[in-house]
Amino acid sequence: MLLLRPFAVLISVLASLALAGAALAADLATLVGNLTTGGFSEREAAIAALATSGEERAAPILEALAAGQLYVRNSDKLVVIGKTDGNKLALSEAISGKAAGSAVEADLDRVRVNNRLRGTIEAAVGSLTLMSPNPRVRLGAADALFKRRDATALAALDQALAAERDPRIKRAMSEARAAIVLATPDSPAAQKLEAIALVRDRADRDSLGVLQVAASASDGEVKAAAMAAAASIEQTLAAWQMAQNVWYGISLGSVLLLAAIGLAITFGTMGVINMAHGEMVMLGAYTTFVVQEIIRTSAPNLFDISLVIALPLAFVVSGAVGILIERTIIRFLYGRPLDTLLATWGLSLVLQQAVRSIFGSSNREVGSPSWMSGTFQVGQLNITYGRLWIVVFALMVFVTLILVLRKTPLGLYMRAVTQNRPMASAVGIRTPRVDALTFGLGSGIAGLAGVALSQIDNVSPNLGQGYIIDSFMVVVFGGVGNLFGTLIGALTLGVVNKFLEPYAGAVLGKILVLVFIIMFIQRRPRGLFALKGRSVE
């Protein structure tokens, strides 16, 4: 008997829950039935009763009523929601949401509303979303009310404010209430002054619009307070806009850094003017495209890590092509900068045409994984995950390259050959091999840049051409062969470009930057950070 007692209690609880659920369904059926009977006055009372019920199905039923989609089926008097589906209406039960077949409108009796009832319904739906158990829904409803400033929702908003426990949502609801108070002409001046202070602290463009409207519709102390608050927000937004431009500049600078850092090695340490460097970037981007195409057809579940798979492959492909170029062309042209420029320029045209022959001349689609999609805000600063990851990746590549140059035998040999090639050869360093590996390293890093650039630019045979001039500017401005100079140069030019664009436009902004660099090099021919070595002596 003792063992059976817990089961009896459980059965009793389940039976109670079933009866409670049946009672709730019955209550909802009564409330919905009241919507379909009587005149507009009775219908308004029924709308209010349904809105205060807290039922989960109340919002979609009221929205259907406002849209003219709530019907009573003539055959069985079932209240249904009908949505156009060809020549018929697809029906669902209003109370349960279950499919209820289809019908022509002649078989249904529409539940009609007038404009006054539509306003009542809008306020009722607003109150339901404000009391939703989902925090996101409540926050969204509060933000929508702030922008709409609907005075009819004030009572529901006060009720939601009294019940709200989440500080962030409560703050949003208070701001929405303040916006409504400012939009209501007969609100007391004391309440409007309190509302102005609350809206001012929000300090975004929506709050600026609210205050500007309030200032134009008010006078005396309220008008002065609204104008002062609006001026304060304008100053705050200007500061945030400056911060946004700095972020855009850092983002552009990270792209320039990725494109230029490989060139800093080949041009800075080897003295080779490699006009085909942009094509190494392009090869990295096309490697990413090929990897994604294979994954799409063979293992779609691996798409989110497609860029991780493409990174080492892009480095190997571009690095191998770089070594091949150095062994077959560049090795015969050391000490002849103009010849290397012409040879690599011709090579760039050959590589572009080869890619056109293989992949075609049209742009190729390279998708973004889920972890690089979307945006988030820091204050009024909008940051996209894609750009953020590119900035992080650029810094990781930079730090890794510094460690390779300072902590590995290859880095030691590269520095030795750069500083004194005859002495390095005399002590047994195989300088031709170091040259090939150095050129391969610079080309491989360009391939890594191609993986990143495939996420923000069109993957086409001309991809590299858009970055080769900027890369040379970064390397020369920062100091030929100095990696820290390349970092500072890339970020500086990126930020300067983004600050010039709003005033001079993108093209004229680049021209002004180029003029600045020319004037700067006139004063400091070796750039910001001069590096002694074979390339500058």
Side-chain angles (χ1 to χ4, degrees):
M1 293 295 293
L2 290 174
L3 291 174
L4 292 175
R5 187 172 297 170
F7 291 102
V9 173
L10 178 60
I11 291 171
S12 175
V13 170
L14 291 175
S16 299
L17 291 174
L19 289 172
L24 287 173
D27 290 342
L28 181 59
T30 301
L31 292 169
V32 172
N34 291 339
L35 291 175
T36 66
T37 59
F40 288 142
S41 298
E42 290 80 7
R43 203 157 289 166
E44 186 172 12
I47 291 169
L50 184 59
T52 56
S53 68
E55 290 284 353
E56 185 178 351
R57 289 287 305 165
I61 292 171
L62 290 174
E63 288 170 350
L65 177 61
Q69 296 175 339
L70 194 68
Y71 299 88
V72 177
R73 192 159 58 186
N74 295 329
S75 59
D76 55 5
K77 302 304 178 184
L78 180 68
V79 182
V80 294
I81 296 173
K83 296 184 178 180
T84 303
D85 183 16
N87 295 326
K88 292 188 175 183
L89 294 174
L91 305 180
S92 59
E93 294 183 17
I95 295 173
S96 65
K98 296 179 181 177
S102 61
V104 294
E105 194 160 352
D107 297 331
L108 306 169
D109 185 16
R110 189 196 302 267
V111 182
R112 301 189 182 280
V113 294
N114 57 18
N115 288 335
R116 185 167 62 86
L117 284 183
R118 287 191 182 91
T120 304
I121 292 169
E122 186 177 357
V125 172
S127 67
L128 283 168
T129 52
L130 285 169
M131 299 298 292
S132 169
N134 188 332
R136 286 189 176 183
V137 173
R138 298 200 304 276
L139 184 60
D143 286 339
L145 273 179
F146 184 89
K147 295 172 184 175
R148 197 170 70 237
R149 304 190 285 280
D150 185 3
T152 60
L154 195 57
L157 187 57
D158 286 336
Q159 181 184 357
L161 261 170
E164 187 57 57
R165 295 292 177 266
D166 188 311
R168 182 186 174 199
I169 300 174
K170 196 176 186 73
R171 175 77 182 183
M173 288 180 177
S174 298
E175 291 167 351
R177 190 184 191 285
I180 293 172
V181 167
L182 287 175
T184 305
D186 56 352
S187 296
Q191 288 188 18
K192 286 191 174 184
L193 291 174
E194 291 179 5
I196 287 171
L198 193 59
V199 172
R200 180 196 59 207
D201 292 341
R202 179 176 170 127
D204 61 3
R205 296 199 177 278
D206 290 330
S207 60
L208 178 61
V210 170
L211 290 170
Q212 287 173 337
V213 171
S216 63
S218 305
D219 52 19
E221 188 180 4
V222 173
K223 184 182 184 71
M227 291 179 65
S232 173
I233 290 178
E234 286 176 343
Q235 291 178 356
T236 302
L237 290 177
W240 278 113
Q241 185 59 47
M242 185 175 293
Q244 187 75 65
N245 284 336
V246 170
W247 165 250
Y248 287 151
I250 291 173
S251 176
L252 174 61
S254 67
V255 172
L256 294 178
L257 176 65
L258 282 172
I261 195 170
L263 190 64
I265 295 174
T266 55
F267 181 44
T269 64
M270 300 180 69
V272 175
I273 302 176
N274 181 18
M275 295 301 293
H277 182 78
E279 279 54 55
M280 302 299 104
V281 175
M282 175 195 66
L283 291 177
Y286 272 98
T287 301
T288 309
F289 165 72
V290 172
V291 168
Q292 285 198 352
E293 286 298 296
I294 294 173
I295 287 176
R296 281 192 179 103
T297 56
S298 304
N301 57 312
L302 297 179
F303 185 81
D304 265 358
I305 60 170
S306 59
L307 295 187
V308 179
I309 297 172
L311 283 172
L313 294 176
F315 181 84
V316 170
V317 169
S318 296
V321 172
I323 291 175
L324 180 64
I325 292 171
E326 197 280 335
R327 288 289 82 190
T328 56
I329 299 174
I330 302 299
R331 65 179 299 187
F332 304 108
L333 302 174
Y334 285 125
R336 296 153 60 187
L338 182 60
D339 290 347
T340 60
L341 185 151
L342 293 174
T344 54
W345 177 68
L347 182 63
S348 73
L349 299 179
V350 171
L351 290 173
Q352 288 179 45
Q353 191 56 48
V355 168
R356 284 192 185 92
S357 301
I358 297 171
F359 296 101
S361 58
S362 58
N363 295 339
R364 293 295 180 171
E365 179 187 358
V366 175
S368 298
S370 59
W371 46 272
M372 287 188 72
S373 303
T375 62
F376 65 96
Q377 276 195 315
V378 178
Q380 299 298 312
L381 197 66
N382 293 313
I383 299 176
T384 61
Y385 285 106
R387 288 282 186 171
L388 178 63
W389 279 113
I390 289 175
V391 171
V392 172
F393 176 65
L395 293 177
M396 289 174 60
V397 171
F398 178 80
V399 171
T400 302
L401 183 58
I402 292 293
L403 293 175
V404 166
L405 293 179
R406 293 190 175 182
K407 303 295 183 181
T408 65
L410 174 61
L412 178 63
Y413 297 156
M414 286 173 58
R415 285 182 284 131
V417 172
T418 299
Q419 292 171 9
N420 195 321
R421 183 184 185 87
M423 184 60 69
S425 180
V427 298
I429 295 176
R430 298 169 61 183
T431 53
R433 181 180 180 185
V434 172
D435 289 336
L437 292 176
T438 301
F439 203 89
L441 177 63
S443 300
I445 293 173
L448 296 181
V451 178
L453 291 177
S454 69
Q455 298 299 299
I456 60 174
D457 208 339
N458 295 322
V459 176
S460 70
N462 299 321
L463 172 65
Q465 293 299 300
Y467 295 94
I468 185 66
I469 301 301
D470 288 340
S471 298
F472 273 108
M473 284 199 300
V474 167
V475 172
V476 172
F477 176 64
V480 177
N482 191 306
L483 293 183
F484 281 103
T486 303
L487 172 65
I488 300 300
L491 296 180
T492 301
L493 293 182
V495 171
V496 169
N497 261 311
K498 286 303 175 182
F499 272 96
L500 285 176
E501 279 182 11
Y503 306 102
V507 176
L508 183 57
K510 281 197 173 186
I511 293 173
L512 292 175
V513 170
L514 179 59
V515 171
F516 164 74
I517 290 177
I518 292 172
M519 294 175 63
F520 178 82
I521 297 302
Q522 294 278 338
R523 299 294 302 271
R524 291 180 65 91
R526 295 187 180 182
L528 282 174
F529 303 96
L531 179 69
K532 290 186 177 181
R534 171 160 55 109
S535 61
V536 294
E537 290 180 346

